[in-house]
Amino acid sequence: MSYKELKSRIDAQQVTFLDGGIGTEILRRGYTWASHQLKSEPELNLEIHQDYINAGADVITTNTFQLSKRSFRNHFANDEHLEAIGVRGLLDRAGELIHESVALADKARRSLDRDNCLIAASITTLEWCFRPDQSPDVEKIYDEYLEELTDYADAGADIFLFETFNSTPEAEVAIKAAKEIDIPAWVAFVPYQDGRLLGGQSMAEVTDAMARNEPDVLLLNCAPPDHITAGMEQLAPLWDKPLGVYAHVGKFNPPEWQFTDEYSADQHLQECKHWHDLGATVIGGCCGTTPDYIKKLTEFFS
Amino acid sequence: MSYKIIKEKLAAKESILLDGGIGSEVLRRGIRWRQHGIEDAPDVIRSIHVDYLEAGVDVLTTHTFNLTKRNFINFFRDEEHMALIGATGLPAKAMELCRTAVSLAKEALAETGMAGTVPLAGSIAPVMHLFRPDLSPPENDCLDHHEECVEVLSDCGVDFIFFEGMNNTREAQAALQATAGFDLPVWMSFVPGMDGNLLNGESLSDVVDLARGNGAEAVLVSAGTIPMITKSLPNIINGSPCGAKAIIGRYNPPSWKPDFYPRFEDTDEVSPEKYAQEVNNWLDQGVQIVGGSSGTTPEHIRAVRKVIG
């Protein structure tokens, strides 16, 4: 399937399936996610992508959450300090791993003869996603986004999935850079229990900002189901273009994940049906969800 | 009170040997870096302490660097957000882990028969990443944070407080202030930048004076490479007790974690013997307290012991 075909499906309000958690799936399968495991455990990455494709995902996501040059840089006082005490090649690492991640996703779809499955590049905020107070100065980040997106484009990603964004100004810069590269942008924001963004903006502010930037799909993600519901209830009445959701299940146990049985795959499906009723048509799972969760979704909605 | 032994050594101008890397050693021994390895591998942490004791340290340091409530909260928007989406028990987790960490060090002391002769230093890191002075919060936040850390370590019975890796003057001052209500000796180490000053560019000799003036019984430089540490020494040596310990190898952080992750590579570039030679040079210059930062191992400390005698 080309992106054009996918987009016409999405625009026709047909349900489209994303994959589920990747980092948490690596943890659940007994590995640390400390360095994304892209080079150390490529087979593991490949299997997870394959499992999601087999579960029915139309779009699979690269294992690149929070993988950026800045995230490495952030461990040092400045570049001179990094040069003095950092491991060699650290500033090239994000670009290399981005290429690796897209190649693994591509290998997975080819191995299953599913070239019609599209690859979304997982890109989150430059600073820590749950810390809106640390958001960077948006006047200064365009080139940084452009560089990162160029790596994904060169590697062959089909979609930029800006996910777990906590405010609109940074998302606007990201979309602008995506437009320059001419790869479609989808944007997913983190809602909070009050139905606003984690960073405090109302959904009306979100839709005002997004109307100016026109992402192909506007989504909510990386929050527990009740926060997603609160956000969707606010967002859906204000947005007549494609909407999506992917909630997390379980609890964040830094630096890892606590898997709980609070939302089983069946219960998660019930939540997804509700979000579909509210208007979401692009549906998948975030942290803590597994290929079984996606399989439940695809079996029900297909 | 085993600190008395150290106090006497300091007064007699004798050399004092500290331990080396602990977090980096946990990772080097193949343990996954979550909750400092304390839940997964308490035996490994205890044996790291034992190895340092057997290598001949005069002071044992607790595995509590960067192990604070704030360290968990930092992953979330705020405490409310942590309560809603964080794992069960997270708010109390750090302090529980600290208590376990102190117990593990005490067990190592008991196991080697060194309880009462080797004092236990309670390690406290900067509030934020030790290499990011720009993230250090306002003074009152620093004060509250460090008070909480000092309180738990004091309650666990450490012999003195060791603030490690301070990177800016404001936080150093708040940390020293945080010890006011506790009857414990205090040491403080500073991270140097490239030019021999404090990592954030402030004057190292000024902050060292401030620390000494506010009751720090010893000041050190740490968490820099050997050249960085060596360059900073003239700013701390003035006849009062001072110390030095360097990183060996290269810091290899993961992309996504926003806090310090003690993974060091290429550590074999500085052999134990080579490290001991460098330490010997520092001792010749007037440094009295020596040990190792991240990347150093019990073998490095054993080699230093040989040099000190």
Side-chain angles (χ1 to χ4, degrees):
Chain A
M1 176 163 49
S2 65
Y3 183 75
K4 202 175 156 195
E5 287 170 87
L6 179 76
K7 186 165 186 324
S8 59
R9 266 182 54 180
I10 291 172
D11 289 345
Q13 302 283 304
Q14 284 184 47
V15 179
T16 300
F17 303 103
L18 304 175
D19 54 8
I22 299 184
T24 50
E25 195 57 13
I26 287 176
L27 293 168
R28 198 176 66 90
R29 296 182 189 202
Y31 296 83
T32 167
W33 189 58
S35 290
H36 290 74
Q37 299 283 12
L38 286 159
K39 281 194 170 165
S40 43
E41 297 290 344
E43 288 299 317
L44 173 66
N45 276 270
L46 188 66
E47 279 167 24
I48 292 170
H49 288 315
Q50 287 168 332
D51 290 349
Y52 280 124
I53 294 170
N54 284 329
D58 300 305
V59 174
I60 56 170
T61 314
T62 58
N63 175 19
T64 51
F65 189 81
Q66 202 86 45
L67 175 61
S68 69
K69 197 181 257 192
R70 184 191 282 242
S71 294
F72 289 114
R73 260 197 182 116
N74 274 348
H75 282 274
F76 301 87
N78 50 51
D79 279 1
E80 191 190 19
H81 185 240
L82 182 151
E83 183 71 23
I85 75 162
V87 73
R88 292 175 186 91
L90 195 57
L91 289 182
D92 297 327
R93 190 180 288 171
E96 288 164 16
L97 292 179
I98 282 169
H99 277 82
E100 202 77 24
S101 72
V102 177
L104 283 164
D106 184 49
K107 191 175 174 185
R109 66 181 174 182
R110 284 173 195 279
S111 72
L112 298 171
D113 208 16
R114 280 285 309 276
D115 291 6
N116 61 349
C117 182
L118 296 183
I119 298 173
S122 161
I123 300 156
T124 190
T125 49
L126 291 174
E127 295 291 340
W128 184 244
C129 55
F130 288 154
R131 291 293 298 272
D133 60 314
Q134 292 181 349
S135 289
D137 180 350
V138 293
E139 301 297 321
K140 295 179 180 164
I141 57 176
Y142 182 75
D143 290 346
E144 209 171 328
Y145 269 104
L146 199 60
E147 183 185 347
E148 192 173 322
L149 300 191
T150 302
D151 279 325
Y152 285 107
D154 291 348
D158 302 303
I159 299 164
F160 292 132
L161 177 57
F162 299 113
E163 55 179 354
T164 325
F165 273 56
N166 55 56
S167 69
T168 60
E170 187 171 353
E172 291 191 68
V173 177
I175 298 170
K176 193 174 153 209
K179 291 204 162 144
E180 180 160 336
I181 291 175
D182 199 21
I183 286 182
W186 296 9
V187 182
F189 290 102
V190 188
Y192 200 49
Q193 60 178 355
D194 55 6
R196 303 171 80 94
L197 294 197
L198 187 65
Q201 287 173 291
S202 69
M203 289 302 168
E205 290 174 279
V206 172
T207 51
D208 281 353
M210 290 302 103
R212 294 194 293 270
N213 293 275
E214 301 177 331
D216 280 0
V217 185
L218 178 57
L219 307 95
L220 297 178
N221 83 305
C222 212
D226 51 329
H227 296 195
I228 295 283
T229 302
M232 262 330 255
E233 284 171 350
Q234 299 290 320
L235 175 62
L238 302 173
W239 193 249
D240 59 3
K241 299 190 188 75
L243 279 172
V245 278
Y246 50 116
H248 71 226
V249 298
K251 301 281 185 181
F252 184 28
N253 189 23
E256 300 197 352
W257 195 257
Q258 180 184 17
F259 294 90
T260 67
D261 52 13
E262 197 181 349
Y263 286 95
S264 66
D266 281 317
Q267 286 163 306
H268 178 255
L269 171 62
Q270 298 308 317
E271 297 291 330
C272 289
K273 284 192 223 168
H274 178 51
W275 299 326
H276 181 250
D277 290 342
L278 287 172
T281 53
V282 177
I283 306 176
C286 202
C287 307
T289 62
T290 70
D292 282 346
Y293 282 71
I294 302 307
K295 192 153 180 277
K296 286 272 181 212
L297 290 180
T298 58
E299 283 172 354
F300 176 80
F301 284 104
S302 294
Chain B
M1 187 64 184
S2 49
Y3 185 76
K4 192 163 166 270
I5 301 165
I6 295 299
K7 203 167 171 77
E8 285 165 5
K9 283 192 177 188
L10 286 175
K13 305 280 180 201
E14 285 176 44
S15 300
I16 292 169
L17 180 59
L18 306 179
D19 39 20
I22 306 177
S24 56
E25 195 60 11
V26 169
L27 276 163
R28 198 174 69 92
R29 296 187 186 195
I31 305 305
R32 197 150 145 179
W33 191 251
R34 50 181 178 185
Q35 284 81 48
H36 279 49
I38 291 167
E39 288 182 343
D40 289 338
D43 292 349
V44 171
I45 290 157
R46 197 185 303 105
S47 42
I48 291 169
H49 289 314
V50 167
D51 289 351
Y52 280 124
L53 287 164
E54 289 178 345
V57 295
D58 297 307
V59 169
L60 191 70
T61 311
T62 58
H63 181 37
T64 51
F65 185 84
N66 240 26
L67 187 55
T68 65
K69 187 176 168 186
R70 178 62 171 259
N71 216 248
F72 288 104
I73 297 173
N74 275 343
F75 282 89
F76 301 88
R77 188 184 75 175
D78 48 34
E79 292 195 56
E80 181 190 83
H81 185 228
M82 178 164 87
L84 290 168
I85 76 157
T88 322
L90 217 47
K93 176 68 80 180
M95 292 300 136
E96 286 167 18
L97 292 169
C98 268
R99 287 177 187 279
T100 310
V102 176
S103 299
L104 291 169
K106 284 186 175 174
E107 286 165 26
L109 285 166
E111 193 179 321
T112 51
M114 296 190 200
T117 53
V118 173
L120 192 56
S123 168
I124 301 175
V127 178
M128 302 296 278
H129 199 301
L130 91 155
F131 294 145
R132 291 291 303 276
D134 59 312
L135 297 179
S136 179
E139 194 159 352
N140 280 344
D141 282 1
C142 291
L143 181 63
D144 290 348
H145 169 93
H146 288 303
E147 258 173 5
E148 193 178 358
C149 296
V150 174
E151 188 174 0
V152 72
L153 290 172
S154 168
D155 190 48
C156 290
V158 300
D159 296 299
F160 68 102
I161 296 296
F162 191 5
F163 290 110
E164 294 195 271
M166 292 293 135
N167 55 35
N168 72 89
T169 305
R170 186 189 63 227
E171 182 168 351
Q173 188 155 21
L176 290 160
Q177 216 181 318
T179 63
F182 303 89
D183 188 24
L184 285 175
V186 178
W187 292 13
M188 183 172 276
S189 83
F190 297 97
V191 190
M194 309 297 294
D195 59 357
N197 270 311
L198 205 51
L199 187 58
N200 73 340
E202 290 176 310
S203 161
L204 180 59
S205 56
D206 286 356
V207 75
V208 159
D209 285 348
L210 181 138
R212 286 179 173 133
N214 282 274
E217 296 199 7
V219 293
L220 300 88
V221 278
S222 66
T225 59
I226 289 168
M228 287 155 80
I229 294 296
T230 303
K231 191 160 188 179
S232 69
L233 290 183
N235 292 320
I236 68 160
I237 296 172
N238 77 344
S240 313
C242 69
K245 47 186 199 162
I247 278 171
I248 65 164
R250 292 183 161 271
Y251 181 35
N252 184 16
S255 174
W256 78 277
K257 263 178 64 76
D259 62 349
F260 180 64
Y261 183 95
R263 182 170 59 188
F264 285 73
E265 285 187 358
D266 302 331
T267 50
D268 52 0
E269 285 176 9
V270 181
S271 68
E273 292 69 31
K274 168 95 171 81
Y275 187 72
Q277 278 171 20
E278 298 287 350
V279 169
N280 206 25
N281 293 336
W282 300 338
L283 292 167
D284 287 347
Q285 289 176 57
V287 166
Q288 200 180 346
I289 304 162
V290 292
S293 282
S294 293
T296 60
T297 69
E299 288 315 305
H300 290 82
I301 297 306
R302 192 182 304 277
V304 174
R305 178 86 271 170
K306 275 189 199 155
V307 167
I308 299 178

